[in-house]
Amino acid sequence: MHCLGAEYLVSAEGAPRQREWRPQIYRKCTDTAWLFLFFLFWTGLVFIMGYSVVAGATGRLLFGYDSFGNMCGKKNSPVEGAPLSGQDMTLKKHVFFMNSCNLEVKGTQLNRMALCVSNCPEEQLDSLEEVQLFANTSGSFLCVYSLNSFNYTHSPKADSLCPRLPVPPSKSFPLFNRCVPQTPECYSLFASVLINDVDTLHRILSGIMSGRDTILGLCILALALSLAMMFTFRFITTLLVHIFISLVILGLLFVCGVLWWLYYDYTNDLSIELDTERENMKCVLGFAIVSTGITAVLLVLIFVLRKRIKLTVELFQITNKAISSAPFLLFQPLWTFAILIFFWVLWVAVLLSLGTAGAAQVMEGGQVEYKPLSGIRYMWSYHLIGLIWTSEFILACQQMTIAGAVVTCYFNRSKNDPPDHPILSSLSILFFYHQGTVVKGSFLISVVRIPRIIVMYMQNALKEQQHGALSRYLFRCCNCCFWCLDKYLLHLNQNAYTTTAINGTDFCTSAKDAFKILSKNSSHFTSINCFGDFIIFLGKVLVVCFTVFGGLMAFNYNRAFQVWAVPLLLVAFFAYLVAHSFLSVFETVLDALFLCFAVDLETNDGSSEKPYFMDQEFLSFVKRSNKLNNARAQQDKHSLRNEEGTELQAIVR
């Protein structure tokens, strides 16, 4: 392979002629400027990571801190102007909120008093005598540090320096070390201050952390279902397709029924006055409406396309035959998934560090507040763009690797002697030649995703307004347009990556060539490929259905203790992402196979001089599908004529 810069070849006469399809002959370094741009962008991300380590205080978020600038469980340095700061809190590892059931909001901050204590009160304390007894027996002081435990019942300031009575029972929250009240009424108020702030980001994190065990279990369930679905497609038969479609239909109907039943149960619940339950009821109603609409559309599509099941089975059998030439393609999503998890964990850690980057300011009464540093919001935005672009880049590398392996196996004359290590060969070509192309394709997806996120955020913000019906409608239209553009770009990128793997051209040239050749040969495989992609999409829907159902059952048991809208959305997103990562192997192989088939038809004619690269099984399958499509088209035309009685003829004067 050599880096070639010429898009056009020069004939013997010296006149330029347009480049032809020459599978795996040309190879050049593509879109290097975009690779350099991505390197500069990641330089900015590395700077933000370093800044978050230096300026951030992740320990305050993880271990908690009191209202006087002391980090719990640590030995602290004094803050100038705060007399109660700088204390040794090594033995006081838990954060106790004095008025967890009576929170007052001033502006965007909560007026709350937090202390570092040795133990959380696990039983309700109804009087100052009981608070004093708890301090003497457990060594955990629930009043401000300046008040001695002996004076709890004697000092005239005890009412303002001690927690408001009664003190609810609480338990230590793992990882964040907060004393979380156990009564539903207190918890619904306390959920928003779980990590010392009412910032939207912190509320989301508190909701996630409160259901972390359930979320982890559901994510493992989604991973197991995705693996099972992948091996189902690997050994698919006609019976399995019928069972699979039946499970999809039952899953869709079951999830819809459960959602509407939960909404009915919430509306008839006597404890609906809790804020958490009201938010959960709105969440359930939204989920029920969306799932019902999706179910109706998918059921109609399944009914319309039900007669193509036999062709679909043959299609997946051919796809599995291609995968058998490089069986390790099935394990390709594992390393992609591992890299994504590593990157997301790193991204969240940096985000948390940025969220705690603040300067200590002494307030009234010697209390300490941490104000966000200037420019943090801009860093968050830059960090969010990094999440989207880098995630898309990692997924695009998987697509390019799979497409390169399929191209290597397809354009191999000796079908009985497959090439050695096609995946490693594809990875090396991607690494040395085409990283810039993958960067450019992932950037285009990010350019569409970011405005779509902004539109969705503004659409949610307008829900609270009474006179924004026209604006909400326009935002819905914009969101729909961005969604359609996103799907189109995903398909365009996949074809461009496959063309780059074939010809070694840059992204724009590959996308243009792929569009031309697919338009020319669309009659051969468009309907077959679309239905194959539809079946794969149903597999993703099935994984999401069962995962969401498990989430509904798990979160519903704690309906009074947490707002589970964000955790359930996170689980649904994760389930779809995992299913997409695994099942996209078949989707990518399908798209790459049909593009290779189109190139094969373009460059060869089946003669002894120019034989096809494809095997006879693939060629006969395409011929059978074309005959079936032509027969159905003739049947539809004939039935239309019968309905109209006679065919319209031109009038000749």
Side-chain angles (χ1 to χ4, degrees), residues 9-44:
L9 301 176
V10 179
S11 62
E13 292 79 10
R17 59 185 177 86
Q18 191 172 1
R19 174 187 46 77
E20 298 176 352
W21 286 90
R22 302 292 295 275
Q24 295 184 292
I25 295 179
Y26 298 107
R27 189 67 59 192
K28 65 178 182 178
C29 302
T30 55
D31 299 300
T32 53
W34 283 91
L35 182 59
F36 180 71
L37 176 64
F38 191 61
F39 174 78
L40 291 179
F41 180 82
W42 254 91
T43 302

Side-chain angles (χ1 to χ4, degrees), residues 64-125:
Y65 62 98
D66 62 13
S67 297
F68 306 101
N70 299 299
M71 189 183 302
C72 299
K74 302 291 181 180
K75 190 173 182 179
N76 299 275
S77 302
V79 177
E80 186 177 355
L84 295 179
S85 64
Q87 299 193 34
D88 186 359
M89 298 295 181
T90 306
L91 301 178
K92 300 179 179 181
K93 300 181 179 181
H94 306 286
V95 182
F96 173 74
F97 294 90
M98 294 177 61
N99 302 317
S100 57
C101 294
N102 301 277
L103 300 173
E104 298 177 2
V105 179
K106 292 185 177 181
T108 59
Q109 295 292 328
L110 285 167
N111 183 23
R112 83 282 184 275
M113 179 71 72
L115 303 173
C116 294
V117 297
S118 303
N119 297 291
C120 302
E122 297 185 359
E123 296 181 359
Q124 181 169 304
L125 306 177

Side-chain angles (χ1 to χ4, degrees), residues 296-337:
V297 173
L298 291 181
L299 289 180
V300 171
L301 289 175
I302 290 173
F303 178 78
V304 171
L305 302 174
R306 68 191 186 282
K307 295 183 180 180
R308 295 181 177 269
I309 291 178
K310 185 177 180 181
L311 279 177
T312 304
V313 174
E314 295 183 28
L315 178 63
F316 278 107
Q317 289 174 348
I318 293 174
T319 304
N320 289 327
K321 185 177 180 180
I323 292 176
S324 63
S325 301
F328 286 100
L329 280 178
L330 293 177
F331 300 97
Q332 185 71 17
L334 291 177
W335 70 262
T336 304
F337 183 71

Side-chain angles (χ1 to χ4, degrees), residues 105 118 208 255 291 295 338-339 401 403 406 420 423 425 444 555 561 569 574 585:
V105 179
S118 303
I208 294 173
V255 169
S291 64
T295 299
I339 294 175
T401 303
V406 173
D420 296 330
I423 299 177
S425 175
L444 292 178
F555 287 125
F561 288 89
L569 283 174
F574 180 84
V585 172

Side-chain angles (χ1 to χ4, degrees), residues 388-434:
I388 299 173
W389 193 2
T390 306
S391 298
E392 292 299 329
F393 171 77
I394 295 171
L395 293 173
C397 286
Q398 172 179 294
Q399 291 178 317
M400 187 76 169
T401 303
I402 296 174
V406 173
V407 168
T408 301
C409 295
Y410 185 94
F411 291 105
N412 176 42
R413 287 295 182 186
S414 179
K415 300 300 180 182
N416 296 324
D417 185 20
D420 296 330
H421 312 297
I423 299 177
L424 292 178
S425 175
S426 179
L427 276 173
S428 62
I429 291 174
L430 167 64
F431 181 78
F432 288 108
Y433 294 99
H434 304 311

Side-chain angles (χ1 to χ4, degrees), residues 201-221:
L201 171 66
H202 287 180
R203 289 201 64 185
I204 291 174
L205 290 175
S206 66
I208 294 173
M209 289 307 302
S210 62
R212 69 196 184 286
D213 295 333
T214 304
I215 293 175
L216 180 61
L218 292 172
C219 290
I220 295 175
L221 174 63

